[in-house]
Amino acid sequence: MTSGAGYALEPEIAIPEDAISITVGTDGEVSVRVRGQQDNQVVGNITTVDFINQVVLSLLVKTFTCQRVPVAIQMKVFQVLMVLAKFVNRR
């Protein structure tokens, strides 16, 4: 599974080849329905965060997705944002 920009998620979430649907819950739980089964099975979790300041988030997304910023720097920025988001959510 990759982000919309094509970056692999870490840790990786593997979607079975015979999956007929994928669901991502509001809590970040990723589940799939496999052909021939009625129940979904959980295949991973995506860390979700709430950003208090949506304007700053919008600016960060625009900067983060800029074509001119090297991927290595984008990934470092993303890691820092995740640490900050976890800190803010603990308060």
Side-chain angles (χ1 to χ4, degrees):
M1 179 175 234
T2 63
S3 70
Y7 298 111
L9 298 178
E10 290 184 26
E12 182 178 323
I13 297 176
I15 305 298
E17 287 186 28
D18 56 347
I20 57 174
S21 70
I22 302 170
T23 304
V24 179
T26 57
D27 61 351
E29 182 178 88
V30 179
S31 61
V32 298
R33 179 166 295 164
V34 177
R35 189 173 316 282
Q37 295 184 2
Q38 290 188 350
D39 295 328
N40 285 359
Q41 63 185 48
V42 176
V43 292
N45 284 289
I46 299 172
T47 301
T48 60
V49 295
D50 292 326
F51 282 87
I52 297 168
N53 190 329
Q54 295 297 316
V55 174
V56 172
L57 175 60
S58 177
L59 291 171
L60 287 171
V61 168
K62 287 178 184 175
T63 301
F64 185 68
T65 57
C66 176
Q67 297 277 336
R68 293 171 289 184
V69 178
V71 172
I73 293 175
Q74 290 179 12
M75 295 308 293
K76 287 293 182 189
V77 168
F78 180 74
Q79 290 170 351
V80 169
L81 288 175
M82 292 305 295
V83 169
L84 290 174
K86 288 178 184 177
F87 175 76
V88 169
N89 283 339
R90 289 185 187 155
R91 299 177 108 209

